[in-house]
Amino acid sequence: MGKQGMKRPERTHTQPKNSRPPVPELQGGVKTGKKRAGPVPEG
């Protein structure tokens, strides 16, 4: 007999896979600095 609240997850309610590539993360001093960001470059 199963425990209450510990049901197996249903496979009917899975979320679709994201098709877009991940957003690149900021690296180095830019990530830890306190300067404001500049304008976003087009492209």
Side-chain angles (χ1 to χ4, degrees):
M1 198 160 92
K3 296 180 180 180
Q4 272 188 328
M6 296 293 285
K7 290 185 178 180
R8 292 174 184 259
E10 295 182 20
R11 295 294 173 196
T12 58
H13 297 302
T14 57
Q15 292 185 350
K17 189 75 174 167
N18 191 355
S19 61
R20 302 196 87 181
V23 177
E25 292 289 327
L26 297 174
Q27 295 180 351
V30 176
K31 189 172 183 179
T32 58
K34 291 200 171 207
K35 283 188 185 177
R36 287 187 172 262
V40 177
E42 292 294 324

